[in-house]
Amino acid sequence: MILATRSWELHLEGCQSLKDKRSVLQRLKSALRKFNVSVSETGHLDLWQRAELSCAVVGSDRRVVEETLRSVDRVVAEADGVRVIDTVSSFR
């Protein structure tokens, strides 16, 4: 079994409140869940324009898990109002 996690440090430039931030992240999390991954906001919970979002993927084939992460990366990178500052990955 392969377990992969990926975390993104995000800058949410257009957000002026926590309500704005939650709206942007909710849309992004909904889009990511279509790839059958677990997604959660894991850092910077009280900052308006910063967020850390993490996802986990479990599978039996490493190639499938890696392709899923690449697809998820594209969605995060192309999301409106989101700029990726840093990405961290882990495989087990």
Side-chain angles (χ1 to χ4, degrees), residues 4 8 14 19 21 30 35 38-39 43 47-49 53 58 72 89:
W8 300 271
K19 186 176 180 180
K21 175 185 176 178
S30 290
F35 294 97
S38 296
V39 183
L47 299 177
W48 296 356
Q49 295 185 334
L53 201 62
V58 177
V72 168
S89 299

Side-chain angles (χ1 to χ4, degrees), residues 8 10 21-42 45 51-55 72 75-76 79 82:
W8 300 271
L10 304 173
K21 175 185 176 178
R22 300 287 179 252
S23 175
V24 169
L25 291 180
Q26 191 60 35
R27 285 192 308 268
L28 183 54
K29 289 190 303 186
S30 290
L32 295 180
R33 286 192 178 109
K34 294 176 184 173
F35 294 97
N36 201 24
V37 299
S38 296
V39 183
S40 181
E41 184 181 358
T42 53
L45 301 175
E52 181 182 86
L53 201 62
S54 299
C55 79
V72 168
V75 170
V76 172
V82 175

Side-chain angles (χ1 to χ4, degrees), residues 37-87:
V37 299
S38 296
V39 183
S40 181
E41 184 181 358
T42 53
H44 307 298
L45 301 175
D46 294 330
L47 299 177
W48 296 356
Q49 295 185 334
R50 292 290 295 269
E52 181 182 86
L53 201 62
S54 299
C55 79
V57 182
V58 177
S60 58
D61 185 349
R62 185 176 178 103
R63 287 178 292 157
V64 172
V65 169
E66 288 174 345
E67 178 57 36
T68 300
L69 286 179
R70 280 192 293 275
S71 297
V72 168
D73 267 339
R74 280 191 296 273
V75 170
V76 172
E78 295 171 359
D80 288 335
V82 175
R83 182 174 58 92
V84 178
I85 298 170
D86 192 21
T87 304

Side-chain angles (χ1 to χ4, degrees), residues 8-22:
W8 300 271
E9 185 82 23
L10 304 173
H11 180 243
L12 309 172
E13 187 174 303
C15 294
Q16 299 300 316
S17 68
L18 288 175
K19 186 176 180 180
D20 290 344
K21 175 185 176 178
R22 300 287 179 252

